[in-house]
Amino acid sequence: MNCSNDSTIGIIFLIIIVLLHLYVILHHKNVGYVMGVIEIENMEFYSYHGCYREEQIAGNRFLVDLVIETDLEKASKSDKIEDTLNYQQAYNIVKEQMSKKSHLLEHVAGRILDALYVSFGEITHARVKVSKMNPQMGGQMERVSVVLSR
């Protein structure tokens, strides 16, 4: 074989590899995986979180937003609760964690994420926002919030 034929064979081989990669990418993009997002917004709780004694005695109003990314392919086809991440259970986890006193919103948000990942192995990403409404910080404000994600 001469150098010209070797180059031609190399180029053909490279084109075949690129076409195979494109086929795999396009084929898998549309098959068997529907990434979905479940959002539970403005869950309201009266809880006892805060660094000051008064906050842990009197309590305050809190809002929690939750965003969970997971594969929803099976549920989108079957219409069965057992094929999805049950957001009633997710709400109950948030409610349970909000009922436990903490000094910091960061701690509450971290506990919520920990409990969600323990209960739902199918989560690919989760984001939680915990907001304390009308915090006593020496000025007028609607809320202070902490957002954690993993």
Side-chain angles (χ1 to χ4, degrees), residues 2 5 27 30 39 57 71 82 89 102 115 125 136:
N2 64 32
N5 285 343
H27 178 70
N30 298 317
E39 295 185 28
I57 293 171
D71 180 0
E82 59 269 10
Q89 291 174 354
S102 286
H125 184 260
Q136 301 299 312

Side-chain angles (χ1 to χ4, degrees), residues 2-111:
N2 64 32
C3 192
S4 168
N5 285 343
D6 288 345
S7 295
T8 304
I9 292 171
I11 291 172
I12 292 172
F13 182 72
L14 185 61
I15 291 171
I16 291 171
I17 288 176
V18 169
L19 290 174
L20 284 172
H21 280 277
L22 285 173
Y23 172 78
V24 169
I25 290 168
L26 293 173
H27 178 70
H28 287 290
K29 184 176 180 180
N30 298 317
V31 176
Y33 192 73
V34 175
M35 177 54 70
V37 175
I38 295 172
E39 295 185 28
I40 308 174
E41 301 173 289
N42 291 317
M43 293 176 273
E44 189 170 336
F45 302 96
Y46 199 87
S47 299
Y48 301 87
H49 309 304
C51 290
Y52 301 109
R53 185 172 186 265
E54 297 80 18
E55 293 176 299
Q56 295 213 344
I57 293 171
N60 202 347
R61 197 170 131 247
F62 293 83
L63 295 179
V64 179
D65 293 333
L66 183 60
V67 178
I68 299 172
E69 293 180 24
T70 189
D71 180 0
L72 296 177
E73 173 69 20
K74 193 171 182 181
S76 72
K77 304 263 188 260
S78 73
D79 197 28
K80 294 179 182 175
I81 189 74
E82 59 269 10
D83 292 335
T84 193
L85 188 145
N86 186 324
Y87 50 82
Q88 177 66 53
Q89 291 174 354
Y91 169 81
N92 289 336
I93 288 169
V94 173
K95 181 179 176 183
E96 177 184 352
Q97 295 305 317
M98 288 300 292
S99 72
K100 299 176 182 177
K101 288 184 183 181
S102 286
H103 290 112
L104 301 176
L105 297 180
E106 294 86 342
H107 188 248
V108 177
R111 282 198 331 260

